[in-house]
Amino acid sequence: MLLGRPAPLLRRLRAWRRTRPFWGGLLLVLGGAELLLVPLSPVTVLVSLGPGGIAAIGIGAALIVAGLFLWCVPQARTYVSLHALLLSVLSFVATNLGGFLVGMLLGIAGSALAFGWTPVTAAEEAAGGEAGGPAPEGRGSRALAAALPVVLLAALGTGAPPARARGVERPAPTGVPTAARNAPTVTTSLFAPRGFALAGVSEVPTADGPRRVLVLKMAAASLRDYRLRTRDGNGGEYGLAAASLELRGDVTLYLTRFSGCIEGLLCVTFSPEGLPAPPVIPPFVFMTGVSAEQALVTSDEIVTDGLRLEAW
């Protein structure tokens, strides 16, 4: 090997690295590894080994897989980086403060770098070769890389007013109709909200007295394979079913329980007494396998496809 000339292996490694968002994937792998190691560490006093530890293992493994995807399938960088960003932010709520912030911050930084990375064009590669310098490296706009976390933080900071902060107990909203004595159960295979925000924990009137509920507000929502089941006072069971249901306008859901799998990966259950939901959900989030106890729902417009009434 001549002095100052890299070995063939190093040249191949460098060429491979320049054709994919290597540093973004590396940060995601490091962030996922940190989330995995925290619940396995000996700091048992500070680290939750219950649901938070299990979620940390799941999210950490998912971030590592996302980093490997960025290396092996760089064409899917936009999709992978957005989902990795979502998982990184969710780690603050679902795990041990995002691995004491370290894993979360590494995941956000890696997602931003991967989102802003762009491959080298053929003209740039040819120009670099003619100049006799090193091969050009894929790169992205710094503004684009920084925009992803900035937009998310701005949404988290301004999407919900202080009075609607997570876990804040609010008086019963005025003008809310009386809810049914037995909260209907709603299931749907896909729940895709737009402008989704938690408005706090409140109470709705029922025939048996007030009931504590989670209040969720959104601009619109799409539901697939919608099913609603409820019971009357005589023990009969009735239901509504639809292939699809669209809620549009000022949509508000009053739920006593809400469970599902975020992005089809992280399955959680929210309730007024249990795991709190994040104050603002990014617009690209969807949930699968949703089951909810729905005290009330209000919407400016409801559009259904294939609605039918069922009785048992």
Side-chain angles (χ1 to χ4, degrees):
M1 183 181 68
L2 297 177
L3 185 61
R5 297 289 300 276
L9 180 59
L10 292 179
R11 286 200 301 267
R12 288 197 295 269
L13 179 61
R14 185 178 299 172
W16 176 83
R17 175 175 60 82
R18 287 169 169 164
T19 58
R20 61 207 68 238
F22 175 80
W23 299 112
L26 179 62
L27 290 180
L28 285 179
V29 171
L30 293 177
E34 198 273 345
L35 288 174
L36 278 173
L37 292 176
V38 165
L40 303 178
S41 68
V43 192
T44 55
V45 176
L46 298 177
V47 178
S48 167
L49 298 179
I54 297 174
I57 294 174
I59 295 178
L63 289 181
I64 293 176
V65 171
L68 296 177
F69 257 92
L70 290 176
W71 288 348
C72 300
V73 192
Q75 298 85 354
R77 62 188 178 278
T78 302
Y79 176 84
V80 173
S81 60
L82 287 175
H83 284 71
L85 175 66
L86 170 65
L87 290 174
S88 301
V89 175
L90 285 177
S91 68
F92 184 80
V93 177
T95 72
N96 305 286
L97 299 178
F100 300 124
L101 298 180
V102 176
M104 181 188 71
L105 294 178
L106 286 173
I108 292 175
S111 302
L113 287 176
F115 184 80
W117 183 89
T118 55
V120 175
T121 64
E124 290 174 334
E125 186 174 1
E130 292 174 359
E137 184 170 352
R139 58 190 180 278
S141 167
R142 294 180 180 178
L144 185 60
L148 189 63
V150 169
V151 170
L152 179 64
L153 291 175
L156 292 175
T158 62
R164 298 179 179 181
R166 178 173 64 246
V168 174
E169 196 75 28
R170 306 178 65 205
T174 58
V176 175
T178 301
R181 177 179 284 106
N182 301 313
T185 299
V186 173
T187 60
T188 178
S189 61
L190 175 66
F191 173 63
R194 292 187 293 277
F196 184 17
L198 174 68
V201 177
S202 184
E203 293 182 345
V204 295
T206 70
D208 295 331
R211 178 179 298 157
R212 298 182 74 233
V213 293
L214 287 172
V215 184
L216 307 179
K217 288 185 173 292
M218 60 205 72
S222 299
L223 295 84
R224 296 291 179 269
D225 301 321
Y226 174 81
R227 298 289 186 277
L228 181 147
R229 290 193 176 187
T230 185
R231 296 179 180 274
D232 61 13
N234 299 321
E237 188 172 354
Y238 301 88
L240 291 174
S244 66
L245 186 142
E246 300 283 337
L247 304 173
R248 302 170 184 170
D250 187 10
V251 181
T252 305
L253 304 181
Y254 303 88
L255 308 175
T256 58
R257 185 183 59 82
F258 183 61
S259 63
C261 298
I262 301 173
E263 304 289 296
L265 299 174
L266 178 62
C267 298
V268 292
T269 298
F270 302 116
S271 69
E273 295 82 14
L275 179 66
V280 178
I281 306 297
F284 49 82
V285 173
F286 64 89
M287 298 186 71
T288 60
V290 172
S291 176
E293 293 178 0
Q294 176 181 286
L296 280 174
V297 57
T298 61
S299 177
D300 292 342
E301 183 179 3
I302 300 178
V303 180
T304 63
D305 179 24
L307 181 67
R308 63 185 184 274
L309 177 64
E310 300 174 342
W312 295 269

